[in-house]
């Protein structure tokens, strides 16, 4: 029996879904507001959530990320009377299972509910073989989600595109896919497309015969042949020249290649994993990347989270990497103070895990014979970033306004600060008026047309009650 949470302020809708869920043999719960939903999610374990977008004290889309990240990781079906394509787009980006518009027939909602429950049952089934992930550190929700995608990718031979900022560990995830796949005992060949000179890209990938070009003094086997029956990682594939993209696409389609200067084809069986920190869709628009190649390499996509979105992992990463560094340098392992860890968690880490490891390397050298690491062992710039982060995060006593400082501690332009103040005031106004349009106009002292102009400018929801 599954627990299903129905979130809607319409009692008739709640009663309808309660009846449907009970007939399916599951246990329904109801909540009519954002506040009540948060209370219930904290008290119960839900497998499926039916979420209305228009709630008395807020927009259901604001709840969606919280629901998806709940410990039970429920499936979420959006139920709404607003035919808003942008709302559907945002819902799907956050991981909603389906998006159903009111009014609806029983069959239109019964099928997605059944499918979502069946899927959740399969997801809860114990994994027969634990995932090998020796170099991927962290247990945060976003990392667990990425690892789930690794498991799905490893079960197939489909091409995978791994995306993420520099330093997020794209090659580690590519290796994890390979090591958990049926090709684990075969070669894993990685090539950095950005590091290859344009004149040598095709020769490096496809190989060449002796005399194929000036300087080709002997026959050379290409990386694609070396990866035969194994996995080829094309790191920073967005930097692959157009000519090489064309040749590579042909290789994927024909499952064979022709080395430069050769008249014969060589069959190849490779599993392709591509990685990039670039926006490949934008490069397609700029005519710098082939659309048909993008379709081929993006059969599956795994998006890696930046370190600033998984700060709960920083302590584990720090402890493990410090131990590895100490072992490499034949040093005694050092203790880590809570202040040291808190300072690390305050930093934005634009270079992600790679940047963190470099800073830990510095801290070890800075500490010398000191047995415990403190903030003073960190580079001064990082201590300053931590200080500014705490300064920005601390509002003036009794103030409802945002800080005038950006994330780097710099003063915001006046227009940007005013816009943020307006937005926060409007959000407070919606809450204070409980979604009542007339009450909001009375409190704010502005006209209805002005109110709706401001709401539209800041992409905020309208009012539920129109009396």
């Amino acid at each position: 029996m599954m627990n299903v949470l129905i979130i809607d302020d319409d009692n008739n809708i709640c009663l309808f879904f309660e009846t449907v869920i009970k007939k399916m043999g599951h246990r329904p719960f109801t909540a009519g507001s954002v506040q009540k939903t948060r209370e219930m999610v904290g008290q119960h374990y839900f497998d499926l959530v039916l979420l209305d977008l228009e709630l008395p004290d807020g927009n259901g889309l604001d709840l969606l990320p919280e629901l998806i990240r709940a410990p039970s990781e429920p499936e979420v079906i959006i139920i709404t009377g607003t035919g808003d394509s942008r709302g559907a787009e945002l819902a799907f980006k956050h991981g909603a299972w389906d998006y159903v518009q009111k009014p609806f027939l029983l069959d239109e909602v019964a099928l997605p509910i059944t499918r979502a429950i069946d899927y959740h049952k399969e997801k809860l089934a114990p994994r027969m073989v634990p995932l090998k992930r020796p170099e991927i550190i962290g247990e945060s929700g976003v990392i667990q989600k990425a690892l789930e995608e690794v498991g799905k990718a490893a079960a197939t031979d489909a091409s995978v595109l791994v995306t993420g900022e520099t330093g997020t560990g794209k090659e580690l995830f590519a290796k994890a896919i390979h090591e958990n796949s049926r090709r684990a005992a075969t070669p894993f060949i990685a090539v950095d497309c950005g590091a290859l000179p344009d004149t040598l890209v095709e020769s490096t990938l496809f190989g060449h015969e002796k005399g194929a070009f000036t300087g080709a003094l002997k026959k050379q086997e290409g990386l694609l042949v070396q990866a035969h029956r194994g996995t080829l990682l094309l790191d920073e594939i967005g930097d692959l020249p157009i000519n090489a993209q064309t040749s590579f696409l042909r290789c994927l389609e024909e499952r064979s290649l022709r080395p430069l200067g050769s008249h014969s084809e060589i069959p190849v069986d490779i599993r392709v994993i591509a990685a990039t920190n670039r926006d490949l869709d934008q490069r397609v628009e700029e005519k710098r990347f082939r659309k048909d190649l993008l379709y081929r390499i993006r059969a599956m996509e795994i998006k890696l989270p930046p370190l600033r979105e998984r700060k709960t992992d920083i302590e584990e990463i720090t402890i493990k990497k410090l131990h590895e560094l100490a072992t490499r340098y034949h040093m005694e392992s050092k203790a880590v103070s809570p202040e040291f860890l808190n300072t690390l968690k305050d930093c934005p880490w634009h270079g992600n895990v790679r940047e963190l490891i470099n800073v830990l390397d510095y801290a070890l050298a800075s500490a010398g014979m000191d047995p415990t690491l403190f903030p003073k062992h960190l580079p001064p710039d990082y201590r300053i970033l931590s200080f500014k982060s705490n300064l920005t995060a601390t509002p003036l006593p009794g103030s409802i306004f945002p800080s005038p400082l950006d994330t780097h501690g710099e003063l915001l332009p006046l227009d940007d600060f005013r816009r943020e103040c307006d937005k926060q005031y409007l959000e407070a106004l919606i809450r204070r008026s409980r979604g009542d349009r007339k009450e909001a106009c009375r409190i704010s002292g502005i006209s209805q047309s002005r109110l709706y102009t401001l709401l539209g400018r800041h992409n905020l929801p309208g009012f539920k009650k129109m009396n």
Side-chain angles (χ1 to χ4, degrees), residues 167-210:
T168 49
K170 294 186 286 295
E171 184 169 348
L172 295 183
F173 276 81
K175 283 182 179 177
I177 294 171
H178 172 74
E179 290 169 1
N180 287 279
S181 73
R182 65 180 183 85
R183 297 176 182 259
T186 61
F188 176 84
I189 305 295
V191 55
D192 184 350
C193 299
L196 294 175
D198 288 359
T199 54
L200 296 179
V201 171
E202 294 198 52
S203 171
T204 302
L205 291 177
F206 305 108
H208 62 257
E209 297 292 328
K210 180 180 178 180

Side-chain angles (χ1 to χ4, degrees), residues 93 142 145-146 149 161-164 298 301-306:
K93 281 184 177 180
V142 287
K145 205 167 214 38
E149 297 302 311
L161 178 63
V162 183
T163 60
R298 195 163 62 183
E301 183 173 358
I302 299 177
K303 298 179 180 180
L304 301 187

Side-chain angles (χ1 to χ4, degrees), residues 124-138:
L124 293 177
R127 188 186 297 274
M128 297 304 293
V129 180
L131 201 65
K132 300 174 186 174
R133 43 166 289 188
E135 297 181 80
I136 299 173
I137 304 169

